Amino acid sequence: MMSERIYLNNDWKFAEQFEASMTEAAYDDSVMQNVRLPHTCKETPLHYFDEHCYQMVSGYRRVIEAEEAWKGKKILLTIDGAAHDSEVFLNGDKVGEHHCGYTAFTMDISGVLRYGEKNILVVKVDSREDLNIPPFGYVIDYMTYGGIYRDVYLDIKNKDYIEDIFIRTNIGQMDDQNAELISEVTVQRTQEGLFLKQSLKNKKTGEYQPLGESEISGTSMQLSYPVENVILWELEHPELYEVKTELICDGTLMDERKDGFYLNGKKIKLRGLNRHQSYPYVGYAMPKSMQQLDADILKRELGVNAVRTSHYPQSHYFIERCDEIGLLVFTEIPGWQHIGDAAWKDQAVENVRDMVKQYLIRHTDKLFDAACVDAFFHIFSDNEFAAFRDDSFETKLWEIVPREKQTFDWETCKNIADFFAQIVDYKSSFTSRHSI
């Protein structure tokens, strides 16, 4: 069997107050509210409320029926977004925790699942704003809401599977229609004789065309294949390609990953707006259709060509729609005009690491190459916060970004910041040697 993804968005129980006994099988969850994801921990009125109404430590509970056929496979549980500090329990045992409300986290639950039985999954979600994690610690000018507000799903994988792929391209001269596709692939393996096979298609018109096949040595390797007759990604003609990577053993398909990439490289004038992911009544808890609609409104009704995800990474459904319709994305780490203590900084570094894996590697347009690094340092810009700057902290953040994506040195980033200072109404001048 190849990899399978099972979404767990239905059939949840919810309570505004978490109790430790919720993790026990004997707990009577009939007193809990029936909900489905995405979910906000507190529905708010349209007007006249403050941030205290959604600050709580809530509990989510769900039954997972693990099939007997899953035994011997790798079972990965992913929570795509839970605001803001989470602990996850399975059958009473703690299996994971996460300290960011804006990035996904994945846990290997293969060893604690009871196969052929019903399993009790419980998520404790802390949405209080006094947490010592970004973006909290000082004044915040936006609502942060709470709850499990993005998808939750299981990935059922073979013991040998593709763990990660980082795709980049070399396109040479802009008038050259030939390119080089470079993939850095990491696999989990238990046996020899594994091969990686790659193929490519234009998502609008084409069928998959084979690129090549290579035997795996070790657990990571780089693949490089030439690609002819490339159509560049443009704002008005967002040409998208999809790379299919297959893991093969003795002619059997063990795993498959489909990753998109698109190409850009043209001087343009940016016209953009900020976008928060909050909605009336339900806060952050909106499904795929509404995330996509926001991108369409920005592009087709408001006429912008760039969007800044203020002030945190946002839904992949929104980002993917931006890819499809030709909207550049300027993303940010969680934070707003504050740098906290050592523990806060450690969490900010971890947030950047997650963003590189979940956003930078997944979406590879040229503005993002600059903006991902650029936006990671937006918290250093204002003069009144200069005293908080810490070169070792900045260096840690910078070093997380893969070398291939560090297309801008410090001076170039400063020039980018100066450019944005001219077109965006920031309250302070940009004197930092880093970027916004």
Side-chain angles (χ1 to χ4, degrees):
M1 182 189 79
M2 204 175 63
S3 296
E4 179 185 7
R5 175 165 294 182
I6 301 173
Y7 283 88
L8 305 177
N9 291 338
N10 296 324
D11 304 319
W12 285 87
K13 298 283 190 175
F14 170 75
E16 290 190 2
Q17 184 173 346
F18 173 81
E19 300 175 11
S21 56
M22 289 178 180
T23 65
E24 300 172 2
Y27 180 79
D28 180 11
D29 60 13
S30 64
V31 299
M32 302 177 73
Q33 179 184 356
N34 294 318
V35 301
R36 70 183 304 272
L37 308 183
H39 180 258
T40 183
C41 66
K42 189 71 173 183
E43 290 189 19
T44 59
L46 185 61
H47 300 296
Y48 308 116
F49 71 94
D50 65 26
E51 70 277 9
H52 294 96
C53 68
Y54 55 73
Q55 294 189 48
M56 62 185 72
V57 182
S58 58
Y60 291 81
R61 178 180 160 104
R62 190 192 193 280
V63 173
I64 299 177
E65 297 194 25
E67 297 179 13
E68 192 74 39
W70 294 358
K71 188 178 294 186
K73 297 186 179 297
K74 182 74 70 172
I75 316 298
L76 303 177
L77 170 67
T78 296
I79 298 178
D80 212 31
H84 289 273
D85 194 273
S86 304
E87 295 180 59
V88 183
F89 303 87
L90 187 64
N91 299 322
D93 295 325
K94 185 175 177 178
V95 294
E97 60 185 47
H98 193 61
H99 310 293
C100 178
Y102 299 102
T103 55
F105 59 109
T106 299
M107 296 140 283
D108 183 351
I109 60 172
S110 311
V112 290
L113 265 181
R114 297 170 184 170
Y115 300 95
E117 301 181 28
K118 292 183 177 181
N119 296 259
I120 304 299
L121 173 65
V122 175
V123 185
K124 175 184 177 182
V125 182
D126 190 341
S127 55
R128 295 173 295 183
E129 292 189 355
D130 59 354
L131 298 166
N132 188 32
I133 58 174
F136 307 117
Y138 193 61
V139 177
I140 300 176
D141 75 337
Y142 54 94
M143 297 293 184
T144 59
Y145 300 100
I148 304 178
Y149 67 94
R150 293 180 187 160
D151 294 333
V152 174
Y153 53 85
L154 292 175
D155 283 318
I156 318 299
K157 295 180 175 289
N158 292 302
K159 288 292 187 180
D160 300 292
Y161 67 95
I162 300 171
E163 182 177 22
D164 191 38
I165 302 178
F166 174 28
I167 296 175
R168 55 191 173 93
T169 58
N170 281 330
I171 59 175
Q173 299 298 319
M174 290 310 304
D175 58 352
D176 188 355
Q177 290 187 308
N178 297 326
E180 180 185 20
L181 177 67
I182 303 168
S183 305
E184 297 178 14
V185 186
T186 302
V187 298
Q188 291 291 331
R189 55 182 299 190
T190 61
Q191 57 183 316
E192 300 295 326
L194 297 175
F195 289 80
L196 286 172
K197 179 181 178 181
Q198 280 196 322
S199 52
L200 176 72
K201 76 170 182 179
N202 183 305
K203 291 189 72 173
K204 289 183 180 178
T205 61
E207 297 181 354
Y208 281 111
Q209 301 297 323
L211 294 173
E213 184 175 322
S214 300
E215 186 173 6
I216 300 173
S217 57
T219 57
S220 62
M221 63 184 301
Q222 179 173 292
L223 307 176
S224 178
Y225 299 112
V227 182
E228 299 179 347
N229 301 317
V230 169
I231 303 174
L232 300 184
W233 188 94
E234 303 286 352
L235 289 172
E236 299 306 320
H237 303 283
E239 205 72 26
L240 296 174
Y241 291 84
E242 186 172 85
V243 181
K244 180 168 66 174
T245 305
E246 298 171 297
L247 180 64
I248 297 173
C249 180
D250 295 329
T252 301
L253 180 61
M254 306 292 289
D255 196 11
E256 179 181 275
R257 285 277 296 270
K258 296 179 180 179
D259 298 87
F261 78 95
Y262 53 90
L263 306 173
N264 193 12
K266 186 177 181 181
K267 186 174 181 179
I268 56 173
K269 291 185 177 180
L270 301 180
R271 304 182 308 277
L273 292 170
N274 293 343
R275 188 252 185 181
H276 275 283
Q277 64 179 16
S278 53
Y279 295 82
Y281 308 111
V282 297
Y284 290 166
M286 272 295 185
K288 178 180 180 179
S289 59
M290 297 304 295
Q291 303 291 342
Q292 293 176 326
L293 179 61
D294 263 12
D296 290 341
I297 291 172
L298 284 163
K299 175 77 173 185
R300 293 168 178 166
E301 295 186 25
L302 301 178
V304 305
N305 60 18
V307 56
R308 174 187 180 217
T309 62
S310 307
H311 302 280
Y312 39 78
Q314 299 182 10
S315 168
H316 284 293
Y317 295 133
F318 173 76
I319 304 295
E320 287 166 359
R321 186 59 178 163
C322 292
D323 291 353
E324 294 167 358
I325 64 177
L327 193 58
L328 296 168
V329 177
F330 187 116
T331 200
E332 296 183 319
I333 59 171
W336 198 73
Q337 299 191 359
H338 172 71
I339 299 176
D341 60 15
W344 192 101
K345 293 176 183 178
D346 288 344
Q347 184 58 47
V349 170
E350 189 62 31
N351 292 347
V352 174
R353 182 174 289 110
D354 287 340
M355 287 178 66
V356 168
K357 293 178 180 178
Q358 298 171 22
Y359 291 86
L360 174 59
I361 292 175
R362 188 168 174 176
H363 308 282
T364 55
D365 63 288
K366 290 299 180 184
L367 178 64
F368 201 90
D369 288 359
C372 65
V373 179
D374 197 43
F376 289 165
F377 298 102
H378 79 282
I379 52 179
F380 304 112
S381 333
D382 292 7
N383 290 336
E384 63 262 43
F385 295 100
F388 291 102
R389 295 184 186 129
D390 183 330
D391 284 340
S392 63
F393 176 46
E394 298 176 11
T395 301
K396 286 180 182 179
L397 295 180
W398 182 261
E399 289 178 345
I400 291 171
V401 182
R403 296 300 174 190
E404 293 81 2
K405 309 302 286 183
Q406 290 184 11
T407 51
F408 296 89
D409 57 23
W410 292 121
E411 188 60 33
T412 304
C413 284
K414 172 62 167 58
N415 293 336
I416 294 173
D418 290 338
F419 165 73
F420 278 100
Q422 297 172 26
I423 62 172
V424 183
D425 184 21
Y426 282 89
K427 63 184 179 182
S428 304
S429 61
F430 289 82
T431 60
S432 171
R433 66 189 175 95
H434 308 309
S435 52
I436 63 173

